Amino acid sequence: MQIAPLSTAFQQNLYTSERSFTAAKYEEAIWDRLLPGDVESYRYHLAFEISKVKGFKTGYAAVRRGGIVVLLAPYFITDYVPVSPSQGVARQPSTYLHNVAAGACNSKWLCVGSPVTNSGKLGITRDYPFDPDMISALNQQLEAIAARENISCIAFRDILQSDAEQLMQPLKQLGFTQTDNVPITINTINFTNIDDYLQSQNSATQKDLRYKLEICKHVQIEEFDGVVPELDAIYQLYLNCYARSELKFEKLTPEFFESIAALMPNQCRYVLYRAEGQLIGFNLLLHRNGILLDKYRGLDYGLSQKYNLDLLSWVHNIEMCIRDKFHSCQSRHADFETKIKLGAKLQKTHTFLRQRNHLLEPVQQLKIPSLTKPNFDHSIPIT
């Protein structure tokens, strides 16, 4: 549907905003119009709602023009320590800030985005040129929500570089401060077979890969589209990884792993890895329009290390992409050095912050350096 643009003199009053507590208020066709081809869209958000993960209150802010939804922004509210997922040097400013300004560091945040998406995406109409007044209307709704919920800070979280370029100016005018965030790792798939991929590595890496993959030959691999057996065992493997992870944010529930498979049977794939008569690992992957997302995993740490399961699952994902004609593979926020070595490229993400209490703005300025990407992983290149 084409919506004719009007002169900017009349733009300010074109838009109305609203909020909803469920993704289901907006039919799937609206999500697909505003986020075309996105696998982390309507059904994915619905699965997260159903799973009732503790510590998060989700919602959706929408902007309408002439009654038609032209912008849709998922959001969540949480008690948020902004440097809590950090590693390395970021832990020192986190501790300092917690001691001198606990109320500012451990506060209630409203974040545009989702705890379970790889990036924060706003669904914005493509029926006419981007209008900054839509962001102003969205901000008014976010501010109304923040006032009701006693929010300390509003953030647009994990915004992709391409979207950040569009949002930067209107958000800056609204008082938001920009910082780099953890990047996304992406492998472009342009190989004819897995041997072609292995040969694309340097000789030392190729030799190491082939040696370790030889050990993996005793691992059985099963793929399931949609609902998967042994959900209890899968969830326990997930908890193993959650317990060890330094990047803790959301703790998913068994309902999430079941709901996502039931709601997205044609876009959700479980890969199970077995050895010595037992399940030793799994991957939960999403796929749509030629893109494979490696979302979650679980491991039996003893046996998974014995059989080089990290490497095997990486190579199997590449192999699936080649086989199923996916053009790119996007992986989890971890172990950047290894992924870069194996051919991944980094795609920048950004977070935009606005402190609602102006007295705490100096504290926010102290927080921002600890959010920058080198503090999350020493292997992330500084650009």
Side-chain angles (χ1 to χ4, degrees):
M1 144 179 272
Q2 293 293 322
I3 304 175
L6 300 182
S7 66
T8 54
F10 297 99
Q11 297 275 31
Q12 195 86 27
N13 300 319
L14 280 178
Y15 303 107
T16 60
S17 62
E18 63 192 37
R19 71 162 175 166
S20 169
F21 298 107
T22 175
K25 177 176 179 178
Y26 306 102
E27 61 187 42
E28 192 167 9
I30 293 175
W31 286 81
D32 284 342
R33 174 169 59 83
L34 298 176
L35 289 165
D38 185 16
V39 69
E40 295 178 313
S41 189
Y42 170 71
R43 298 191 182 208
Y44 189 64
H45 286 280
L46 205 56
F48 185 65
E49 282 182 37
I50 293 169
S51 63
K52 298 190 182 300
V53 174
K54 289 183 180 179
F56 298 92
K57 182 176 182 179
T58 58
Y60 305 86
V63 175
R64 293 181 183 268
R65 174 177 171 174
I68 298 170
V69 177
V70 294
L71 185 153
L72 186 58
Y75 69 83
F76 64 94
I77 296 170
T78 189
D79 291 328
Y80 192 48
V81 182
V83 291
S84 62
S86 309
Q87 302 179 37
V89 297
R91 293 198 179 278
Q92 290 182 339
S94 174
T95 302
Y96 171 76
L97 286 171
H98 181 77
N99 290 336
V100 301
C105 288
N106 191 2
S107 53
K108 205 171 182 182
W109 282 40
L110 188 162
C111 298
V112 174
S114 168
V116 292
T117 56
N118 284 13
S119 61
K121 305 184 191 77
L122 280 69
I124 300 177
T125 183
R126 292 161 173 76
D127 291 326
Y128 59 93
F130 174 73
D131 182 358
D133 284 338
M134 289 191 292
I135 306 303
S136 297
L138 171 62
N139 184 63
Q140 289 176 0
Q141 185 59 226
L142 296 176
E143 182 58 37
I145 297 168
R148 285 191 293 266
E149 298 283 352
N150 194 27
I151 298 296
S152 300
C153 186
I154 299 174
F156 287 68
R157 181 174 178 264
D158 299 335
I159 304 298
L160 294 172
Q161 174 74 17
S162 55
D163 294 331
E165 291 171 359
Q166 188 177 59
L167 296 173
M168 188 184 309
Q169 193 58 36
L171 287 178
K172 183 178 179 180
Q173 290 177 350
L174 292 167
F176 285 83
T177 303
Q178 180 185 356
T179 181
D180 289 352
N181 209 342
V182 182
I184 292 171
T185 54
I186 300 176
N187 278 72
T188 300
I189 308 300
N190 51 12
F191 313 104
T192 56
N193 53 51
I194 197 63
D195 194 60
D196 190 21
Y197 166 72
L198 293 175
Q199 289 180 10
S200 71
Q201 308 299 309
N202 64 49
S203 57
T205 301
Q206 185 180 159
K207 183 178 179 180
D208 184 56
L209 286 173
R210 292 187 186 278
Y211 170 76
K212 290 178 177 177
L213 288 173
E214 190 67 27
I215 299 172
C216 299
K217 285 187 175 180
H218 299 289
V219 177
Q220 295 82 50
I221 303 175
E222 301 171 310
E223 297 177 16
F224 294 88
D225 291 323
V227 179
V228 68
E230 303 176 72
L231 184 62
D232 289 342
I234 284 171
Y235 187 65
Q236 187 55 56
L237 293 176
Y238 162 76
L239 290 179
N240 292 347
C241 288
Y242 180 83
R244 286 204 180 190
S245 175
E246 291 188 36
L247 296 169
K248 286 184 174 67
F249 194 41
E250 77 284 357
K251 183 179 181 181
L252 299 173
T253 62
E255 290 83 356
F256 176 80
F257 290 96
E258 183 176 56
S259 297
I260 193 172
L263 288 168
M264 305 172 66
N266 299 319
Q267 297 170 340
C268 170
R269 180 175 300 171
Y270 281 93
V271 182
L272 307 187
Y273 297 89
R274 301 182 189 276
E276 301 184 19
Q278 61 182 295
L279 185 66
I280 66 169
F282 83 90
N283 265 159
L284 168 58
L285 307 117
L286 302 179
H287 58 91
R288 188 178 184 185
N289 286 354
I291 300 172
L292 182 73
L293 304 186
D294 183 354
K295 292 297 302 181
Y296 295 101
R297 69 170 184 168
L299 297 171
D300 175 317
Y301 275 98
L303 290 174
S304 66
Q305 290 174 359
K306 176 181 177 180
Y307 289 105
N308 300 310
L309 201 57
D310 276 340
L311 177 63
L312 177 60
S313 63
W314 175 275
V315 172
H316 186 69
N317 287 350
I318 299 292
E319 196 165 23
M320 282 190 298
C321 288
I322 296 169
R323 182 194 70 200
D324 297 338
K325 303 188 185 318
F326 299 144
H327 58 72
S328 62
C329 181
Q330 193 177 114
S331 51
R332 299 177 303 273
H333 299 313
D335 197 11
F336 292 94
E337 187 172 14
T338 299
K339 291 174 181 177
I340 292 170
K341 182 180 178 181
L342 293 172
K345 304 296 183 185
L346 300 184
Q347 182 174 356
K348 288 183 178 180
T349 71
H350 306 268
T351 290
F352 297 87
L353 309 170
R354 180 168 65 80
Q355 180 61 250
R356 295 186 68 240
N357 184 340
H358 295 299
L359 295 176
L360 294 178
E361 285 181 353
V363 177
Q364 177 177 303
Q365 295 304 316
L366 287 173
K367 295 179 197 175
I368 288 173
S370 66
L371 279 168
T372 57
K373 59 188 179 183
N375 290 325
F376 289 89
D377 190 310
H378 67 87
S379 64
I380 303 174
I382 300 173
T383 58

